[in-house]
Amino acid sequence: MSAPRTAPLLIGIDGRSGAGKTTLAVELCARLRQHRTVSLFHLEDIYPGWHGLDEGIQRYLDTVLAPLSTGQDAEWTTWDWAAGTDGPLRTTPAADIVVIEGVGACAQGARELLDATIWVSGADDERKSRALARDGESYVPFWDTWAEQEERWLAADPVPESVDVTVRDTPAGACPGGSGGAGSGEAADEVLELLSHHPALHTELAPERSALASRPVRITEVGPLASGNGTTLDAGILFAEIFGNDAHAVWLDSSDAGLPGATRNRFSIMAGNPGAGLSVSHRHGVTELRRGSSAARLPLPFFRWLATAWTPQTLPAVPAGYDCPFRLGWLGWLGYELKRETGGSDQDTSGSAVPDAGLLFADHAVVLDHQEGLAWALELAGTEPDDAATPVPAAASPGAGPVRREGWAAVVARALETAKTPTDAAPSTVPSPGTAAAAPPSPTPRFTARDTHQDYLAKVLASQDEIREGNSYEVCLTTTLTADAPGFDVVTAYRALRRRNPAPFAALLRFGDVSLASTSPERFLSIDAGGGLLAEPIKGTRRRSADAAEDAALREDLSASLKDRAENIMIVDLLRNDLSHFAEPGSVTVSRLCAIESYATVHQMVSSIRARLRPGASRVEAVAAAFPAGSMTGAPKISTMAILDDLEGGPRGIYSGALGYFSLDGSVDLSVVIRTLVASGAGDDTRLSLGVGGAVTADSVPEDEYQEIRTKAYGVLSTLGAEYPG
């Protein structure tokens, strides 16, 4: 007696008539068959006539899906559409994968047996024209009858809200049995890539993931940042030229490069996609991936998804002179409320306009080496045709997707020249400390604070009560400023911010209707390709002064402050513990303790903790073990986060999280999201948010703590022409 057959993976493709299910199924099967056996079942072959949707779904559940789900071949009765009676028996083999398509494929009762479910949508008029064009006169008398059955079924069983993957307005052909348009292959590629992230298919689709991961990264030097004719690069123009039209774009900006003492971040990275690229967002336990017209909803914690989607790869050697750790990969933010996955409590953010996390996958990028004065173009081989095969329309704009088909290095080189301006006109200098920024962006937003002056003082006292009770040693108390800002231009604001308050981890990020403009000076965590870990917490702040003597005195006051040193050292100890969970024993060291760094508007106290990742340890787990940054929670971390949840009265959102990249070679570099303006919505519905906070200890003076948050908000608010509320 033979051993029982292993049950196949079952993929259902559903949607209303004419949406394009059949062509998508055929194209998907063609791709899946490259590495395993695949069967395809069409529900149109089993419906008992034009009035038989409900009965057809039941026949499908009983005679097709039930046996296949147990690993048995399915024997089922066909329907003879010409005769209007049952036809002969047919068999659908229990192959490695069985794809089932048709109206009702993902109906209630089927979803619990299917491993992955897909819904294909389309505009009603397009669906009808495709379906009738395919079936000719035979379907015309029954279109309304069939459509009414679909409507009744979907009213009782809202399938589109329950599936794993949705495909919107695909140009694929009619269903059932139609032929596809030019976009059907692209839709199948999108769906296959999203399915490869699905936990039920992750192992089975390993060959497809491997093929995607094996594409080499091409790195090309494209030119100098400055020219001998007296011009230098305006990085803001370069970003706008290349990525200005992209739905998702990231600029990790070493905006302090070239200034005295600026040594902590040599490179700037620009990346984006025009809407067809892969992106991911996460809200309250649900990870959503988007690729072109397709989207997948996976009930997965964010860090669990990231651990499967991002794994270090062995990449070819880079060209001589390219020293940046970034080799393409994921870029974006991890919001503070992901603490629910790392020991913190769960704040419900499912209804928030701002996701808990947002990343884009960059298969094209630009890297600026500020030390060597060079620009580099990075691209993933196989992501676009070569120059000769696809000429570029002369009128195409540099930010539009089709322009990239010219050849990525050529696009970057041309934009680099466009972005060079006369050296004496380039925004390379910053105002003296304490002076106002020139030409603040308009209109000026009017902020309100979650906490009044007295409210914040009361929360400082409550934090000190918790410390006296032994529940914490240090509480990093924060508050939030918000403003309605119709017509606010985040890009203009960011260009002003980077001139006013340059920083090693500045960033501009656009993610649909969410944008970030950050001037963060603080590194959360970096991991190099060899496993070196580095955290650089900041604790201790003094404002800058335009008077040189007063400014020097403020810097010295910070350096000598026992309170600030105690705050900093407590966070250093916390981070030493965080890094030790995945570090080689004995490798955790403090290479810099309580050093003072000066920025345009503040002096800061900074320390550096280094370690070596344990061989075989998960890099994602190492990031999660340190998340969120201890400098934004206090110590001990878990109990203090619970205190903060009670005191602060609302989620922090992106603020206090992390922002940066996860490179294909395993490198990571993440900043702490502070000094960061968050904009959500668009046009007249734009809303701004700015988080600020400070560390409370047993000997804190409440009024001093309040003045500290005003100092930290000053760099952003003054650039906008705004004032601290109240």
Side-chain angles (χ1 to χ4, degrees):
M1 185 175 178
S2 62
R5 178 182 296 172
T6 302
L9 282 168
L10 301 173
I11 301 174
I13 303 180
D14 208 334
R16 298 194 65 173
S17 294
K21 302 181 296 300
T22 302
T23 302
L24 176 60
V26 170
E27 295 277 359
L28 185 60
C29 287
R31 287 153 175 75
L32 292 170
R33 286 193 180 107
Q34 295 180 33
H35 300 288
R36 78 281 291 163
T37 61
V38 179
S39 294
L40 175 58
F41 174 77
H42 302 285
L43 264 75
E44 68 165 345
D45 295 332
I46 204 172
Y47 303 128
W50 292 109
H51 298 273
L53 177 58
D54 290 340
E55 184 179 345
I57 292 174
Q58 193 60 51
R59 286 189 178 195
Y60 150 63
L61 293 174
D62 295 340
T63 65
V64 178
L65 198 53
L68 288 174
S69 66
T70 61
Q72 306 301 312
D73 292 346
E75 188 175 78
W76 46 276
T77 302
T78 64
W79 180 255
D80 186 332
W81 288 92
T85 61
D86 284 338
L89 293 176
R90 288 187 188 171
T91 300
T92 298
D96 296 329
I97 296 179
V98 179
V99 176
I100 301 161
E101 74 81 19
V103 181
C106 302
Q108 189 173 10
R111 293 195 292 273
E112 62 191 43
L113 300 177
L114 294 168
D115 295 289
T117 53
I118 301 167
W119 177 267
V120 183
S121 67
D124 289 346
D125 56 346
E126 292 179 6
R127 289 192 303 101
K128 182 174 182 179
S129 63
R130 285 197 295 253
L132 298 185
R134 180 210 63 215
D135 284 332
E137 294 301 316
S138 62
Y139 201 169
V140 172
F142 301 104
W143 172 265
D144 291 337
T145 298
W146 190 261
E148 289 170 1
Q149 292 176 85
E150 291 178 349
E151 290 172 3
R152 288 196 302 271
W153 163 58
L154 291 172
D157 184 6
V159 179
E161 301 171 13
S162 307
V163 297
D164 301 314
V165 178
T166 57
V167 183
R168 304 183 313 277
D169 299 321
T170 174
C175 173
S179 59
S184 56
E186 287 88 341
D189 289 336
E190 293 169 5
V191 169
L192 184 58
E193 184 167 6
L194 296 183
L195 288 176
S196 72
H197 291 263
H198 194 291
L201 280 69
H202 188 264
T203 300
E204 183 65 33
L205 296 184
E208 283 77 10
R209 288 201 322 281
S210 178
L212 289 171
S214 64
R215 293 175 294 176
V217 177
R218 288 199 289 256
I219 302 175
T220 306
E221 181 185 328
V222 293
L225 304 186
S227 301
N229 60 0
T231 62
T232 191
L233 179 69
D234 185 323
I237 295 177
L238 180 67
F239 181 75
E241 282 288 309
I242 302 178
F243 301 109
N245 294 339
D246 285 9
H248 300 143
V250 175
W251 176 11
L252 304 179
D253 179 19
S254 295
S255 62
D256 66 343
L259 299 179
T263 60
R264 286 208 292 142
N265 213 358
R266 166 181 167 184
F267 303 99
S268 293
I269 299 168
M270 300 177 179
N273 67 57
L278 183 63
S279 63
V280 62
S281 60
H282 182 91
R283 281 184 174 86
H284 201 242
V286 176
T287 299
E288 181 174 270
L289 290 94
R290 290 193 174 274
R291 176 78 157 80
S293 63
S294 305
R297 286 174 53 85
L298 307 177
L300 284 175
F302 176 80
F303 285 112
R304 187 185 303 173
W305 166 81
L306 185 61
T308 60
W310 173 70
T311 54
Q313 302 172 24
T314 301
L315 300 177
V318 299
Y322 184 80
D323 299 327
C324 180
F326 180 67
R327 308 284 197 275
L328 300 178
W330 295 95
L331 303 97
W333 83 85
L334 285 59
Y336 176 77
E337 300 311 327
L338 290 178
K339 67 184 173 62
R340 69 171 68 90
E341 301 179 22
T342 63
S345 61
D346 183 5
Q347 297 256 31
D348 187 352
T349 57
S350 56
S352 173
V354 179
D356 295 334
L359 299 175
L360 67 86
F361 182 80
D363 52 22
H364 294 76
V366 178
V367 171
L368 308 180
D369 183 341
H370 299 290
Q371 177 176 298
E372 299 299 324
L374 292 173
W376 299 82
L378 282 66
E379 61 181 318
L380 205 57
T383 55
E384 59 191 13
D386 59 28
D387 300 15
T390 313
V392 183
S397 65
V403 124
R404 301 187 185 180
R405 301 165 82 92
E406 171 191 3
W408 181 238
V411 169
V412 176
R414 189 179 67 245
L416 189 68
E417 291 307 309
T418 301
K420 288 179 180 176
T421 61
T423 301
D424 57 3
S428 57
T429 58
V430 297
S432 300
T435 62
S442 180
T444 300
R446 296 178 61 86
F447 285 88
T448 58
R450 184 175 65 196
D451 298 299
T452 66
H453 186 174
Q454 292 304 315
D455 289 340
Y456 196 78
L457 298 182
K459 290 182 178 182
V460 172
L461 293 173
S463 300
Q464 291 178 310
D465 288 341
E466 296 285 354
I467 293 170
R468 281 190 289 270
E469 291 294 324
N471 300 322
S472 179
Y473 303 111
E474 179 179 357
V475 178
C476 295
L477 182 67
T478 77
T479 190
T480 302
L481 313 181
T482 57
D484 292 322
F488 189 84
D489 184 356
V490 177
V491 175
T492 300
Y494 177 69
R495 288 175 66 91
L497 281 169
R498 73 186 298 267
R499 291 194 299 269
R500 177 70 183 95
N501 193 24
F505 303 105
L508 173 64
L509 186 151
R510 182 172 60 250
F511 199 87
D513 285 345
V514 177
S515 298
L516 277 69
S518 177
T519 57
S520 174
E522 182 173 0
R523 172 178 273 127
F524 163 49
L525 180 66
S526 69
I527 308 176
D528 63 33
L533 299 161
L534 171 63
E536 295 185 292
I538 288 176
K539 268 290 162 246
T541 305
R542 294 293 186 276
R543 64 177 177 85
R544 298 293 305 271
S545 172
D547 180 84
E550 183 182 12
D551 192 57
L554 288 165
R555 180 184 171 103
E556 179 58 30
D557 178 68
L558 176 59
S559 179
S561 169
L562 295 179
K563 171 187 176 294
D564 289 296
R565 292 181 67 86
E567 290 180 11
N568 198 292
I569 290 170
M570 276 191 276
I571 299 305
V572 167
D573 284 342
L574 187 155
L575 278 165
R576 288 173 62 214
N577 177 70
D578 285 348
L579 298 189
S580 70
H581 292 302
F582 292 92
E584 289 183 354
S587 70
V588 181
T589 60
V590 179
S591 59
R592 186 171 60 149
L593 185 64
C594 297
I596 306 300
E597 293 184 348
S598 297
Y599 298 91
T601 58
V602 292
H603 301 293
Q604 304 267 211
M605 184 178 286
V606 187
S607 295
S608 299
I609 306 99
R610 297 181 182 273
R612 173 75 43 191
L613 193 68
R614 193 170 62 243
S618 164
R619 291 169 183 247
V620 170
E621 290 183 8
V623 172
F627 187 87
S631 61
M632 300 306 297
T633 63
K637 182 184 287 187
I638 303 301
S639 60
T640 304
M641 285 193 293
I643 292 168
L644 290 167
D645 285 342
D646 291 337
L647 287 176
E648 292 181 351
R652 294 184 182 180
I654 297 175
Y655 171 61
S656 299
L659 190 159
Y661 67 75
F662 299 86
S663 172
L664 292 179
D665 69 346
S667 301
V668 182
D669 204 358
L670 300 169
S671 65
V672 180
V673 182
I674 54 176
R675 321 288 200 274
T676 299
L677 188 69
V678 178
S680 59
D684 290 342
D685 295 325
T686 302
R687 186 167 177 79
L688 305 180
S689 173
L690 176 66
V692 287
V696 178
T697 62
D699 57 353
S700 289
V701 177
E703 182 59 31
D704 290 348
E705 296 297 332
Y706 180 71
Q707 294 304 321
E708 180 173 339
I709 64 172
R710 291 172 62 92
T711 295
K712 290 177 176 177
Y714 175 77
V716 174
L717 295 182
S718 62
T719 304
L720 304 181
E723 297 181 351
Y724 198 96

